[in-house]
Amino acid sequence: MATSPKPRPARAKPAPPTLVLFVRHGTTPTTGKVLPGRAPGLHLADAGREQAEAVAERLGSWAPGSGPGIVAVYASPLERTRETAKPIAARLGLKVTVERGLLECDFGDWTGRSLKELMKLPEWTTVQRYPSGFRFPSGESFAGMQTRMTDTVAKLCARHRGETIVAVSHADPIKAAVADAMGTHLDLFQRVVISPCSVTAVSYGPAGPSVLGVNSTRSLDELRPS
């Protein structure tokens, strides 16, 4: 007696991607002059507060092509990132959640030193050309910072599968995340530019990340897969 073939098990649907909108904090009084690192007490300048309000307006009026809107706003613990995240969250009707993994790189003994002074050091060439082999004196390595950042992003994506979130961080951690998403070696990450209050969009799906936009300071309409 012939037996009927067993039904094939249904294929599991792939997990929907998570869209992470990285936002660099706004301008501070020391932007472009000093390496502030994790030193406390650095707040946004007047221009930075204006930039934060502007990016909040852009994110608040942006409508994704599909899926839910922005569901969460995360920020590094430092004052300048939380102050940037506050108007974004207010515009979206959300609260700011502090996420330590989004912190600036720990610059160790270089914290608070002027960029003009640091550029004269022989180690500065290594910072620019061979960052994967550099650790800040008494601080963090670029490789360690990138691992911390990518681990944090993976954790947030697992928490928000199929959703869109904002992550307010700092220039170097965002650049490191972009390099990782593009499969680019860390030694080339200094070629990425991340301006104050710019938006960088990366979609993290089961087939890998897709970089939708980097350093966007204008319309967000392009921040969707083509």
Side-chain angles (χ1 to χ4, degrees):
M1 179 177 179
T3 58
S4 57
K6 293 182 179 180
R8 294 181 180 181
R11 291 184 179 181
K13 293 183 179 180
T18 299
L19 179 59
V20 180
L21 304 175
F22 296 99
V23 177
R24 182 187 173 186
H25 64 79
T27 299
T28 73
T30 67
T31 298
K33 303 173 184 176
V34 173
L35 201 65
R38 298 180 179 182
L42 181 60
H43 299 271
L44 294 181
D46 289 342
R49 285 189 286 273
E50 292 175 0
Q51 292 165 342
E53 292 290 347
V55 75
E57 179 63 26
R58 291 165 61 215
L59 290 171
S61 61
W62 173 68
S66 61
I70 298 169
V71 300
V73 177
Y74 293 90
S76 152
L78 297 177
E79 293 93 341
R80 57 193 186 271
T81 43
R82 289 188 285 113
E83 290 169 2
T84 300
K86 185 177 180 180
I88 297 173
R91 181 67 172 76
L92 296 167
L94 301 170
K95 294 182 179 180
V96 177
T97 300
V98 172
E99 172 52 64
R100 188 169 179 81
L102 298 174
L103 260 173
E104 174 66 286
C105 186
D106 183 355
F107 298 129
D109 296 341
W110 286 24
T111 300
R113 296 178 67 177
S114 74
L115 291 174
K116 286 186 178 180
E117 175 189 0
L118 293 173
M119 288 176 184
K120 296 176 183 178
L121 299 178
E123 295 92 339
W124 189 257
T125 299
T126 307
V127 169
Q128 299 300 314
R129 298 184 181 179
Y130 182 40
S132 67
F134 185 79
R135 177 182 292 276
F136 289 94
S138 302
E140 192 174 26
S141 69
F142 280 113
M145 177 268 289
Q146 185 182 48
T147 298
R148 165 174 57 81
M149 188 68 173
T150 54
D151 286 349
T152 298
V153 171
K155 178 183 71 175
L156 295 179
C157 287
R159 185 182 301 167
H160 294 283
R161 286 198 174 102
E163 298 177 327
T164 300
I165 63 173
V166 171
V168 185
S169 186
H170 307 263
D172 281 351
I174 296 175
K175 291 193 292 183
V178 170
D180 175 78
M182 296 185 69
T184 300
H185 198 282
L186 183 60
D187 287 340
L188 302 179
F189 96 122
Q190 298 285 24
R191 299 183 183 185
V192 180
V193 175
I194 301 294
S195 302
C197 279
S198 62
V199 178
T200 293
V202 182
S203 176
Y204 292 90
S210 298
V211 179
L212 308 183
V214 177
N215 199 40
S216 175
T217 56
R218 296 190 179 183
S219 170
L220 299 179
D221 292 341
E222 76 278 12
L223 301 185
R224 52 175 61 95
S226 59

